[in-house]
Amino acid sequence: GSHTLDEFQRWAGYLINVQVIHIGFLQEEEAVQLIEAPVRGFALRYQAEARRRVLDLTNGHPFLFQLLCAEIVALKNEQPPVQRRLATVADVETAVSPALQHGSFFFADIEKNQVDMVALEVLRLIAKNGEGTAVPRQVLVDYVPSLMSLEKALLDLQHRELIVQIGDGYRFEVELIRRWLAKRP
């Protein structure tokens, strides 16, 4: 699940025998293996730049990685046979829009259920600054009226692996999540 057990206290009676196992991002080697050989005899190959782009967009997030790769396969299956066997960077970028659409429940859950309003505003501010951009901490301090609320939001967002601290700033862990939030009103 995407929620912590602390968020399910009212379910304690039903979750007596639950064990928490953290499932983090795929390591690059694992992700490359899944891209190139998800099943034996997989015919689709990726240009090195296309493979790198999938990794850059998903950071190995298991669900988003699988979602984007599934959209790439669906796209390639619609192309003429001569183009079908090699995924390019253009194919990866073309697959992003349907991935965002088909993964909308995942993204909406982040907005509606996983973060509070302060954290959501922090995410939206960071999202507006573009891919890979770390927003300086001072910009966030100036944006959020309560320093205590900001600190709580930053800790929560890092705990949920939505943002990462880079030097004195913060950026998204996963570009696809940033893109979803950047296009939201």
Side-chain angles (χ1 to χ4, degrees):
S2 59
H3 300 279
T4 65
L5 282 182
D6 292 341
E7 296 168 325
F8 287 107
Q9 290 302 314
R10 68 174 190 258
W11 290 82
Y14 299 102
L15 301 173
I16 294 168
N17 294 320
V18 170
Q19 180 180 0
V20 176
I21 299 172
H22 177 260
I23 299 175
F25 299 121
L26 297 169
Q27 297 298 311
E28 186 168 340
E29 304 80 41
E30 297 166 324
V32 168
Q33 181 181 353
L34 285 172
I35 290 172
E36 295 179 348
V39 294
R40 191 179 316 232
F42 189 64
L44 179 60
R45 297 289 168 247
Y46 284 73
Q47 291 177 337
E49 299 84 10
R51 184 175 53 245
R52 177 81 255 153
R53 192 67 183 135
V54 170
L55 295 170
D56 290 345
L57 288 166
T58 65
N59 195 26
H61 185 289
F63 172 73
L64 296 175
F65 180 84
Q66 193 274 330
L67 175 68
L68 183 58
C69 287
E71 293 299 337
I72 293 167
V73 169
L75 172 70
K76 296 308 288 182
N77 285 340
E78 296 297 321
Q79 292 178 347
V82 70
Q83 295 176 311
R84 220 175 260 172
R85 301 283 185 234
L86 183 65
T88 65
V89 172
D91 293 322
V92 174
E93 290 296 339
T94 300
V96 167
S97 182
L100 293 175
Q101 180 183 2
H102 293 137
S104 64
F105 284 109
F106 170 87
F107 300 111
D109 186 62
I110 293 170
E111 285 182 294
K112 306 289 185 203
N113 300 315
Q114 293 185 33
V115 299
D116 65 20
M117 288 306 297
V118 173
L120 184 56
E121 288 305 313
V122 167
L123 287 175
R124 287 181 175 154
L125 177 64
I126 297 171
K128 290 178 185 175
N129 283 275
E131 183 171 348
T133 302
V135 174
R137 177 181 173 72
Q138 189 59 51
V139 170
L140 299 172
V141 167
D142 294 343
Y143 185 73
V144 177
S146 165
L147 186 58
M148 194 164 83
S149 295
L150 175 62
E151 290 299 331
K152 180 187 173 302
L154 292 172
L155 287 173
D156 185 42
L157 294 171
Q158 289 175 87
H159 177 73
R160 291 184 180 281
E161 298 179 323
L162 293 170
I163 63 171
V164 61
Q165 187 171 4
I166 304 292
D168 191 37
Y170 297 87
R171 71 166 173 79
F172 274 85
E173 284 266 11
V174 179
E175 173 59 13
L176 285 181
I177 296 172
R178 188 205 66 79
R179 286 192 185 189
W180 168 266
L181 286 161
K183 71 177 193 136
R184 306 297 289 163

